[in-house]
Amino acid sequence: GQEERVWTRRDGLPFDQTRALLEATNGDIWVGTAGGATRIRNGELVETLNQASGLPESYVLSLFESRDGRLWIGTVAGFAVLDAKGLTRYRKQEGFPGEDVFDFYQDAMGTIWIASDRGLVRFRDGAFRAFGESEGFPDNIVFRVLDDGAGSFWLTSNRGLFQVRQEDLERLPESGGRLSVRRYGKLDGMSSSQCNGGSQ
C-alpha cells in the first residue's frame, strides 16, 4: 500500500485547517487554507500564494482549474486567476459583485460560473452578471454549482437545494426578470434545508 504523508504548519503550511484541495492536471496539489493557497509538487511545499503575493485576501475558500490550465482561487474578498503571466485579481474594484467565492464551474462554452455570497455569478468576456434573490433564487448565498448534463444547474444554499435551467439564465434580460426555480427543502423530505459546508 501507499505510505501516508501528512503536511502541517511544521512542514510549511500556513494553517493546519484545510478549506479546499485541488489536484491539477500537471500533478501539483493545491491546498487552500486561511493563510493562502499552497502548492505541493513531488511531495514538497514549493510556494504559498497569499495577499502579499497578489490574492485579494489570504483566506482561501475554493480552488479550480479551468480547461486552459489556469488556476482559479476563491477567497473571502473576491478571487484571483493564476496563469503563466502571474495573478490577476477580481474584487469589487474590478467589478466582481460579491466577496465570498465558494465554488467555480466551467460550462461547455467556456463560461465560468461562480457560487458566491451574491448568488450565482456568470463571468464571460470579462463581464460579470449575478443571479440571486431578485431574480427568483431562494437565497443570495450559493455554495456549490453542479451541472446535471441535462441543461440544469443544481445549486446549494442555506435554504435548500434548487434547480434552474441554464437556458433560462442566459435568456434573462440584463435589466432584470424572474427565473423559474425549483427548490427542495425539508418539506420535500430533506432532513435539513442547510446545504452548506465549511470547506470545498
Side-chain angles (χ1 to χ4, degrees):
Q2 287 189 323
E3 183 183 328
E4 185 179 276
R5 177 79 191 272
V6 178
W7 289 271
T8 68
R9 289 183 75 168
R10 288 195 302 271
D11 305 290
L13 273 183
F15 283 86
D16 286 339
Q17 189 178 63
T18 299
R19 293 285 177 180
L21 274 175
L22 173 74
E23 182 178 6
T25 52
N26 68 358
D28 288 353
I29 304 291
W30 286 92
V31 183
T33 70
T38 300
R39 184 200 307 252
I40 299 173
R41 176 174 290 165
N42 299 323
E44 301 300 323
L45 276 67
V46 293
E47 68 176 321
T48 294
L49 304 177
N50 53 30
Q51 192 170 13
S53 7
L55 292 185
E57 235 321 320
S58 293
Y59 202 121
V60 172
L61 296 172
S62 55
L63 297 164
F64 175 75
E65 184 181 19
S66 50
R67 287 190 292 274
D68 58 10
R70 291 186 295 166
L71 177 71
W72 300 67
I73 305 168
T75 78
V76 296
F79 67 96
V81 181
L82 177 67
D83 60 18
K85 293 179 280 191
L87 280 169
T88 304
R89 286 185 298 200
Y90 296 92
R91 304 160 296 172
K92 288 205 169 171
Q93 298 95 304
E94 288 80 33
F96 180 62
E99 290 185 347
D100 294 334
V101 175
F102 299 108
D103 193 24
F104 299 93
Y105 171 70
Q106 185 175 29
D107 69 21
M109 301 299 290
T111 298
I112 300 290
W113 297 85
I114 303 165
S116 78
D117 62 345
R118 180 50 192 91
L120 181 64
V121 179
R122 184 182 66 205
F123 184 41
R124 184 166 56 213
D125 300 327
F128 296 101
R129 168 74 195 273
F131 303 90
E133 285 184 29
S134 57
E135 288 77 29
F137 283 10
D139 200 344
N140 268 336
I141 299 177
V142 173
F143 294 107
R144 191 84 199 269
V145 51
L146 297 168
D147 186 337
D148 66 6
S152 290
F153 288 150
W154 290 81
L155 310 170
T156 64
S157 76
N158 286 320
R159 296 183 179 169
L161 175 70
F162 55 102
Q163 177 189 24
V164 61
R165 292 198 55 77
Q166 185 177 350
E167 64 181 355
D168 293 345
L169 293 165
E170 298 290 6
R171 274 202 214 112
L172 201 68
E174 290 292 329
S175 56
R178 300 283 289 181
L179 292 158
S180 174
V181 177
R182 220 173 144 183
R183 179 181 163 205
Y184 299 88
K186 284 191 82 168
L187 294 175
D188 304 291
M190 290 176 61
S191 59
S192 171
S193 290
Q194 292 284 343
C195 292
N196 62 5
S199 57
Q200 186 189 42

